[in-house]
Amino acid sequence: MAVSDWLLFLPHLPSSPSSLRVLVWRRMRAAGAVGLQNGVWILPADPDQERFLRDLVAEIAPQGGNGQIFRATPLQAGAPEDIVERFRADRDEDYVEFRGRCADFLAELARETERRNFTFAELEENEQDLQKLVGWLRKIRARDFFEGRQAAPSEEDLARCQGAFEEFTRAVYARAGLAPPDEDAGA
């Protein structure tokens, strides 16, 4: 994604209650924004991000906050590359944490397989954990504007988790003397 313009958000928030500051911080992080300095946030300029910022200003106004939104073009050579690198570094932190959770998921399936704990209750629990991983990666990807270095390895880790879960599912159904769900569909 080549970016020539950026959106800057300068929130003006009351010092108390702190919950409004926390809300803004969480929303900006969830949107993939990078904090530049002194409370200034930056996002790539696009209609979705602009709408997000306008909605955020509208949300904080009734609570005593406000904010200014600016469209900016860097004048210094190299500034956009530095900013993009900060976005990538933030997303790579997200991906590294995600990959750790994938490793935990695979280890859990390995433990349950070793114990031969092929129960439907365990299957359901692992299915929920896998769906959390799928949703989490989707959220990270949505705010990964510049293809973080850990994006592809994270996708590969999720695919490994999905494959291991499919194997575990087959084992659970085999233990119960049933055909796995995907085989039922073809019958």
Side-chain angles (χ1 to χ4, degrees):
M1 167 186 229
V3 177
S4 59
D5 286 343
W6 299 88
L7 296 173
L8 299 179
F9 176 55
L10 291 73
H12 303 283
L13 306 168
S15 57
S16 67
S18 63
S19 59
L20 190 56
R21 290 184 183 282
V22 171
L23 176 123
V24 168
W25 182 86
R26 284 184 178 159
R27 295 279 167 79
M28 296 305 292
R29 296 295 295 168
V34 167
L36 288 181
Q37 61 186 15
N38 301 327
V40 176
W41 293 91
I42 189 167
L43 284 163
D46 76 30
D48 291 337
Q49 299 305 328
E50 188 174 327
R51 190 175 319 102
F52 159 73
L53 290 172
R54 289 180 189 281
D55 290 347
L56 182 58
V57 169
E59 181 180 359
I60 64 175
Q63 301 175 60
N66 63 44
Q68 303 297 316
I69 304 167
F70 296 92
R71 182 178 293 267
T73 304
L75 299 177
Q76 297 160 291
E81 292 81 16
D82 292 345
I83 293 169
V84 167
E85 185 51 39
R86 289 183 66 181
F87 275 93
R88 283 190 180 123
D90 280 0
R91 291 303 69 78
D92 283 346
E93 285 180 20
D94 293 342
Y95 285 127
V96 166
E97 185 177 356
F98 172 82
R99 295 186 72 200
R101 295 282 174 88
C102 284
D104 293 345
F105 179 81
L106 292 170
E108 171 66 15
L109 286 180
R111 277 191 300 276
E112 297 305 334
T113 299
E114 184 178 310
R115 292 180 193 145
R116 306 201 53 76
N117 188 15
F118 301 124
T119 66
F120 283 100
E122 191 62 37
L123 179 65
E124 182 177 359
E125 180 182 325
N126 285 309
E127 183 176 32
Q128 290 171 357
D129 291 343
L130 180 60
Q131 289 310 311
K132 288 177 187 175
L133 288 172
V134 168
W136 187 12
L137 185 57
R138 188 179 306 121
K139 287 178 184 176
I140 296 170
R141 295 291 292 175
R143 62 182 180 249
D144 185 5
F145 306 114
F146 302 102
E147 193 67 27
R149 290 170 287 273
Q150 295 292 317
S154 295
E155 295 282 352
E156 292 165 6
D157 286 353
L158 181 59
R160 275 192 286 283
C161 289
Q162 291 168 324
F165 178 75
E166 288 173 12
E167 287 179 33
F168 188 79
T169 300
R170 284 192 287 277
V172 168
Y173 275 78
R175 180 145 206 212
L178 302 169
D182 56 333
E183 292 178 21
D184 285 341

